[in-house]
């Protein structure tokens, strides 16, 4: 039985395009957010202006305000992600590091576990400081890593599609009739 490899090719192409855009062309994604946000804001304004000719302007005004707010949020989303995500992650790593130090100072912890907890806590605290003090560099590094992982997943999907096509070529197209005789797939025996 042949297996369809089209879905793997499609996933591989989508992952490759997204990975390259995320890793190497972040401004394209930022501009897409800007365009989508502006379209939502323009649509809200047009819907409100269109409702002025009708009688229900109060409801449409609230809808237009909500739509414009969503559009502004979408426009600001790249900046929020770029700055706030590394800072939030840094705070989380810092809290985890402090908890590890408190756990290491506990009397119930074994001596070798204390050393492990202290080393891990120091690593977490240093990571937290890096995330908090350099959010732009951290977000850039994370973005590039995510893009490269997507490109690697794309290559894996293309490899799976290639392996499926190789497997499909080796499948024999013999048909076994009810009597157990093997008949070639060609119609020359049917004539």
């Amino acid at each position: 039985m042949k297996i369809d490899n089209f879905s793997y090719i499609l996933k591989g192409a989508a992952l490759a395009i997204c990975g390259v855009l995320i890793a190497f062309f972040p401004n394209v994604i930022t501009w897409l957010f800007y365009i989508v946000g502006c379209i939502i804001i323009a649509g809200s304004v047009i819907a409100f202006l269109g409702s002025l000719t009708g009688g229900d302007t109060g409801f449409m005004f609230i809808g237009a305000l909500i739509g414009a707010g969503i559009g502004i949020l979408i426009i600001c989303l790249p900046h929020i992600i770029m700055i706030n995500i590394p800072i939030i992650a840094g705070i989380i790593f810092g809290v985890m590091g402090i908890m590890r130090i408190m756990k290491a100072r506990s009397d119930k912890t074994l001596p070798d576990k204390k050393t492990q907890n202290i080393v891990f806590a120091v690593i977490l605290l240093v990571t937290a400081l890096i995330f908090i003090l350099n959010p732009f560099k951290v977000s850039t590094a994370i973005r590039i890593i995510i893009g490269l992982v997507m490109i690697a997943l794309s290559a894996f999907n293309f490899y799976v599609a290639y392996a499926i096509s190789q497997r499909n070529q080796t499948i024999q197209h013999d048909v076994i009739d009810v009597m157990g005789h093997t008949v070639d797939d060609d119609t020359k025996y049917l004539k």
Side-chain angles (χ1 to χ4, degrees), residues 38-90:
C38 288
I39 289 172
I40 291 173
I41 291 171
S44 298
V45 169
I46 291 171
F48 175 70
L49 292 176
S51 71
L52 290 177
T53 58
D56 193 18
T57 57
F59 179 73
M60 290 305 290
F61 180 70
I62 293 171
L65 284 179
I66 292 172
I70 291 172
I72 291 170
L73 179 69
I74 290 173
I75 289 172
C76 295
L77 200 57
H79 299 293
I80 292 170
I81 291 172
M82 188 183 316
I83 296 170
N84 292 336
I85 297 295
I87 290 175
I88 292 169

Side-chain angles (χ1 to χ4, degrees), residues 17-34 78 82 139-140 143-144:
I17 291 169
C18 291
V20 167
L21 286 177
I22 288 173
F24 305 112
F25 302 105
N27 290 336
V28 172
I29 296 171
T30 303
W31 279 102
L32 286 174
F33 277 107
Y34 292 162
M82 188 183 316
S139 64
T140 301
R143 177 184 50 77
I144 290 171

